[in-house]
């Protein structure tokens, strides 16, 4: 294996503002240095496979895990009870364990860990595993399996979880030999955290847990064929710099890979030196400060007009850790039609997958961006610094003419956008904001100001309803000193709100804002726009003028947390302030809002981004030069 420079945990922590330093991760280096954790040396010791699982977690530096016991994983829960290093948080549903591990990983930079039993316990982890796969979150899921002699016999609570998760993991291990446990655990953590992060499954048969084995640490990792390129090819970097020097309308198209690669500070320095506009995708909110004059907003289906226009009208896309997904591009053939493409990504499979790159650069953005900064400086000396004044003049006019905003509701109920804007304004950028999926997710992306990476968590790729509450719980465990808001919809909230019991019992004081429009809001918006207002099965009966099933304030009281309700604009600030003052238990606010509010701007599915609408039936008026 070739030697490369490991990621500096100090640099990553500084750039991210983490309260915990991430575990240092290197790529394709000497086997002994692949092992995470404190690098203790443990002499050969006899123990059970279950004890080896727990001991491996301890030696890997794990301090927090989320799980739910059952028969096939029960042997491991016994020694887990004796661990003084690992804090196990008992969830109420395995999906909650997976999303909590995701939230924990997103704010700490460490691998999130979740544990479940076989069969339905393991299959309940499928959604968070798929979510982590789509959003590149480092996750290790440990599941129990029936005795190896029974595998394939349809034994009680047997499911082929390795086969089920193979398409949605970086790798899935089946362990039937207890002596393999230390090595496979170390390999799982390395795979999850190196290169493009992602989920790894470790499925361990019950007899492997119960059998005796000889534990020693560190194990020898053997991952033939697994290579991660960190540094970009110098020739490609120079070619990219040349394109930047010659571009008249360049734009930085920044994806979530910049956050996963801990390269926000490097991006800031490069962007300021080049002077080009920066658009941050839904997954990259906070990678570049919203307050920065070069930030033109979030692109995509519900992006700002200025960000969508910047991409559409550009002659060069400087694409960093993004994947040209359909929510950003609209109809792919019409996306940025006159732009050349620089595409830097650690995953070579992403480059030219959807849009052909003129200059592909494979590697870590943490390494590539500083190299590109140096190459651009040389290119500017050779070709001259491009004049971007006309480009900025156009974009500034669009930014001023079509800012993100909202109109007051016709029914007199509160505008949900106003609620979310005030939550962000009163809490500030040092908090963590975790959204569910739907209208409230888009409004949270639009109306909270993001100034730092790891400030914003959401389910972007898979779009998982129910993500918010357990992910916020995990984020609070990982960042206990930060305020953590779960901004959720009344539909999403009812999918995983049982984890409020976990929060209360384990003293995890998250704050939950239920944006209660009494409906499946985004589905209802599409029914309004595209199905003649035929609201088939989207009314949830939770809001104003309904039977309120459930009553969210009563539900909060049943869970032993603080429940508040806000139904008037004049009470918004005071209610939020009251929630911010309560830090000894979770708080839930039922914000009763209008069901008619919609997310704008919007690019309808199946059309070009050029057809972006700023309101129903209204498109921007473009000047001829645009």
């Amino acid at each position: 294996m070739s030697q490369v420079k490991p990621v500096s945990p100090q640099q990553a922590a500084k750039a991210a503002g983490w309260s915990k330093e991430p575990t240092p991760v290197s790529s394709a280096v000497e086997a002994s240095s692949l092992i995470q954790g404190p690098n203790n040396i443990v002499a050969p010791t006899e123990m059970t496979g279950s004890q080896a699982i727990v001991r491996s977690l301890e030696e890997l530096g794990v301090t927090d895990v989320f799980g739910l016991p059952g028969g096939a994983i029960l042997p491991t829960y016994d020694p887990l009870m004796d661990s003084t290093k690992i804090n196990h948080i008992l969830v109420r549903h395995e999906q909650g364990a997976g999303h909590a591990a995701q939230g924990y990983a997103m704010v700490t930079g460490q691998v999130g860990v979740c544990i479940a039993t076989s069969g339905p316990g393991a299959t309940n982890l499928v959604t968070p595993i798929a979510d982590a796969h789509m959003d590149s979150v480092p996750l290790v899921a440990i599941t129990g399996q029936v005795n190896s002699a029974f595998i394939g016999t349809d034994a009680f609570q047997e499911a082929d979880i390795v086969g089920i998760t193979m398409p949605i993991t970086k790798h899935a291990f089946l362990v039937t030999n207890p002596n393999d446990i230390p090595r496979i655990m170390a390999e799982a953590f390395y795979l999850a955290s190196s290169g493009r992060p992602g989920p790894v499954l470790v499925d361990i048969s019950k007899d492997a847990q119960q059998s005796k084995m000889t534990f020693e640490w560190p194990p020898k990792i053997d991952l033939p064929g697994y290579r991660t390129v960190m540094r970009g090819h110098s020739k490609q970097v120079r070619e990219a710099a040349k394109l930047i020097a010659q571009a008249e309308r360049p734009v930085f198209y920044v994806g979530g890979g910049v956050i996963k690669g801990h390269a926000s500070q490097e991006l800031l320095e490069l962007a300021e030196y080049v002077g080009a506009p920066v658009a941050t995708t839904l997954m990259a909110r906070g990678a570049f400060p919203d307050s920065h004059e070069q930030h033109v907003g979030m692109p995509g289906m519900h992006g700002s007009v200025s960000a969508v226009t910047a991409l559409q009208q550009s002659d060069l896309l400087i694409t960093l850790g993004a994947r040209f997904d359909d929510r950003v591009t609209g109809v792919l053939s019409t996306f940025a039609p006159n732009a050349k493409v620089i595409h830097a990504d650690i995953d070579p499979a992403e480059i030219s997958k959807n849009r052909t790159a003129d200059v592909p650069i494979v590697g870590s953005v943490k390494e590539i961006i500083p190299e590109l900064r140096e190459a651009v400086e040389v290119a500017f000396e050779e070709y001259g610094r491009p004049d971007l004044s006309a480009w900025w003049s156009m974009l500034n006019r669009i930014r001023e003419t079509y800012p993100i905003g909202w109109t007051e509701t016709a029914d007199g109920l509160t505008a949900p956008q106003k609620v979310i804007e005030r939550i962000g304004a009163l809490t500030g950028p040092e908090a963590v904001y975790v959204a569910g999926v739907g209208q409230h997710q888009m409004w949270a992306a639009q109306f909270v100001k993001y100034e730092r990476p790891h400030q914003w968590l959401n389910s972007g790729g898979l779009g998982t309803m129910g993500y918010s509450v357990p992910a916020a719980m995990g984020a609070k465990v990982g960042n206990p000193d930060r305020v953590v808001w779960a901004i959720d919809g009344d539909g999403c909230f009812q999918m995983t709100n049982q984890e409020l019991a976990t929060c209360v019992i384990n003293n995890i004081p998250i704050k939950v804002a239920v944006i209660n429009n009494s409906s499946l809001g985004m589905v209802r918006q599409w029914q309004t726009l595209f199905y003649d207002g035929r609201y088939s099965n989207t009314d949830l009966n939770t809001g104003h003028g309904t039977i309120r099933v459930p009553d969210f304030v009563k539900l909060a009281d049943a869970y032993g947390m603080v429940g508040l309700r806000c139904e008037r604009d004049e009470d918004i600030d005071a209610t939020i302030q009251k929630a911010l003052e309560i830090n000894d238990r979770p708080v839930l606010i039922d914000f009763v809002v209008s069901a008619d509010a919609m997310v704008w701007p919007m690019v309808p599915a199946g059309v070009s981004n050029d057809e972006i609408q700023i309101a129903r039936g209204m498109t921007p008026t473009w000047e001829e030069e645009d």
Side-chain angles (χ1 to χ4, degrees):
M1 292 186 174
S2 58
Q3 184 130 2
V4 296
K5 187 172 76 173
V7 174
S8 163
Q10 290 77 19
Q11 289 175 337
K14 180 180 179 182
W18 288 327
S19 59
K20 292 187 176 184
E21 284 194 353
T23 303
V25 176
S26 61
S27 150
V29 293
E30 292 299 323
S32 61
S33 64
L34 298 181
I35 311 297
Q36 298 184 21
N39 296 311
N40 293 324
I41 296 176
V42 180
T45 308
E46 187 176 83
M47 61 180 67
T48 65
S50 293
Q51 290 172 320
I53 294 169
V54 176
R55 186 63 183 271
S56 295
L57 290 173
E58 292 175 341
E59 295 303 329
L60 286 162
V62 174
T63 57
D64 301 281
V65 300
F66 305 86
L68 186 69
I73 195 65
L74 203 56
T76 296
Y77 268 82
D78 187 63
L80 183 60
M81 187 177 184
D82 297 326
S83 176
T84 58
K85 297 179 180 179
I86 299 174
N87 171 40
H88 177 275
I89 295 171
L90 174 63
V91 298
R92 296 304 180 267
H93 190 285
E94 292 90 353
Q95 182 182 354
H99 291 319
Q102 284 183 278
Y104 183 90
M106 287 288 289
V107 300
T108 64
Q110 299 173 2
V111 175
V113 181
C114 53
I115 305 176
T117 193
S118 64
T123 58
N124 281 342
L125 286 177
V126 168
T127 296
I129 288 172
D131 198 290
H133 177 68
M134 290 286 280
D135 288 350
S136 304
V137 179
L139 178 75
V140 168
I142 301 169
T143 55
Q145 184 54 275
V146 299
N147 283 339
S148 57
F150 296 153
I151 292 176
T153 68
D154 293 332
F156 177 67
Q157 288 193 336
E158 180 193 357
D160 180 9
I161 195 63
V162 169
I164 290 168
T165 61
M166 196 172 292
I168 53 171
T169 54
K170 289 188 72 173
H171 194 73
F173 294 94
L174 173 61
V175 184
T176 58
N177 183 344
N179 290 298
D180 292 337
I181 288 172
R183 173 182 58 81
I184 287 177
M185 291 293 291
E187 289 176 354
F189 273 71
Y190 174 63
L191 287 170
S193 56
S194 62
R196 181 178 183 171
V200 177
L201 176 85
V202 182
D203 191 37
I204 309 173
S205 66
K206 190 170 185 179
D207 53 315
Q209 298 174 55
Q210 294 172 320
S211 299
K212 291 288 186 179
M213 56 84 69
T214 301
F215 182 92
E216 58 182 313
W217 198 267
K220 293 181 179 179
I221 283 183
D222 182 25
L223 294 170
Y226 182 72
R227 300 287 189 277
T228 298
V229 176
M230 300 296 284
R231 299 197 65 178
H233 193 287
S234 57
K235 180 178 181 295
Q236 298 300 91
V237 172
R238 290 195 300 271
E239 287 297 315
K242 181 179 177 181
L243 287 184
I244 293 172
Q246 295 174 340
E248 295 179 357
R249 294 186 173 195
V251 59
F252 286 95
Y253 166 22
V254 177
V258 171
I259 291 179
K260 300 300 190 307
H262 321 308
S264 296
Q265 182 60 38
E266 290 81 358
L267 169 66
L268 179 66
E269 294 172 6
L270 174 62
E272 288 184 336
Y273 184 73
V274 173
V278 178
T280 53
T281 67
L282 179 69
M283 296 306 300
R285 303 293 288 117
F288 192 82
D290 280 4
S291 60
H292 198 287
E293 61 182 1
Q294 287 175 238
H295 190 253
V296 292
M298 179 180 73
M301 175 176 276
H302 294 295
S304 66
V305 176
S306 54
V308 171
T309 303
L311 295 180
Q312 286 298 99
Q313 298 290 321
S314 67
D315 63 3
L316 177 65
L317 298 179
I318 309 168
T319 310
L320 303 171
R323 54 193 174 89
F324 291 89
D325 68 287
D326 62 295
R327 283 300 192 258
V328 168
T329 65
V331 175
L332 187 61
S333 61
T334 66
F335 177 67
N338 300 313
K340 292 184 177 180
V341 174
I342 299 166
H343 193 174
D345 201 289
I346 199 163
D347 185 353
E350 288 297 342
I351 295 179
S352 295
K353 182 178 77 175
N354 295 327
R355 172 69 176 263
T356 301
D358 295 276
V359 179
I361 311 175
V362 177
S364 166
V365 288
K366 183 79 172 178
E367 301 276 356
I368 290 170
I369 295 176
E371 294 168 356
L372 187 56
R373 165 69 171 77
E374 294 178 7
V376 167
E377 191 170 349
V378 173
F380 280 2
E381 291 177 1
E382 182 175 351
Y383 300 101
R385 177 180 286 273
D387 181 5
L388 305 183
S389 58
W391 180 220
W392 272 114
S393 179
M394 186 194 82
L395 291 177
N396 285 333
R397 285 198 304 274
I398 293 171
R399 197 156 45 174
E400 293 167 6
T401 307
Y402 303 107
I404 292 286
W406 72 85
T407 56
E408 295 298 331
T409 60
D411 58 12
L413 295 176
T414 294
Q417 301 95 321
K418 182 182 296 184
V419 170
I420 293 171
E421 189 276 332
R422 295 310 298 158
I423 288 173
L426 292 171
T427 312
E430 292 306 311
V432 175
Y433 301 86
V434 188
V437 170
Q439 286 181 314
H440 66 278
Q441 174 192 25
M442 296 297 104
W443 289 322
Q446 291 174 334
F447 293 105
V448 175
K449 300 302 181 185
Y450 298 101
E451 300 295 320
R452 62 177 187 86
H454 312 285
Q455 182 188 342
W456 162 247
L457 280 60
N458 81 127
S459 171
L462 196 64
T464 303
M465 293 180 68
Y467 171 89
S468 181
V469 168
M473 177 175 72
K476 185 66 175 176
V477 173
N479 270 189
D481 297 329
R482 293 190 189 274
V483 173
V484 177
W485 278 101
I487 299 176
D488 220 351
D490 47 314
C492 286
F493 175 71
Q494 293 185 75
M495 293 191 173
T496 53
N497 63 30
Q498 70 276 355
E499 299 310 332
L500 294 177
T502 310
C503 291
V504 170
I505 290 173
N506 291 278
N507 191 28
I508 307 170
I510 65 171
K511 305 183 193 305
V512 182
V514 179
I515 309 302
N516 182 4
N517 60 6
S518 196
S519 65
L520 300 172
M522 189 61 87
V523 182
R524 188 179 192 276
Q525 174 166 332
W526 280 54
Q527 289 173 332
T528 300
L529 296 175
F530 309 121
Y531 293 90
D532 299 321
R534 289 165 53 82
Y535 300 119
S536 173
N537 293 284
T538 46
D539 186 2
L540 295 179
N541 284 291
T542 55
H544 178 76
T546 73
I547 56 176
R548 280 188 170 144
V549 177
D551 183 316
F552 293 132
V553 174
K554 291 180 180 178
L555 183 68
D557 183 62
Y559 276 123
M561 56 191 292
V562 176
L564 307 171
R565 179 171 288 125
C566 180
E567 300 184 89
R568 305 186 307 163
D569 285 11
E570 54 265 39
D571 297 331
I572 293 173
D573 281 19
T575 307
I576 294 169
Q577 289 284 18
K578 185 173 182 180
L580 290 173
E581 292 167 1
I582 299 170
N583 294 301
D584 61 343
R585 51 188 160 157
V587 182
L588 181 150
I589 307 176
D590 178 15
F591 285 105
V592 181
V593 299
S594 173
D596 295 328
M598 293 195 196
V599 182
W600 299 108
M602 180 178 182
V603 179
V607 304
S608 167
N609 282 352
D610 291 326
E611 298 182 43
I612 187 172
Q613 297 181 13
I614 54 175
R616 190 172 185 179
M618 295 179 61
T619 57
T621 301
W622 309 112
E623 300 177 12
E624 285 190 12
E625 66 175 284
D626 299 341

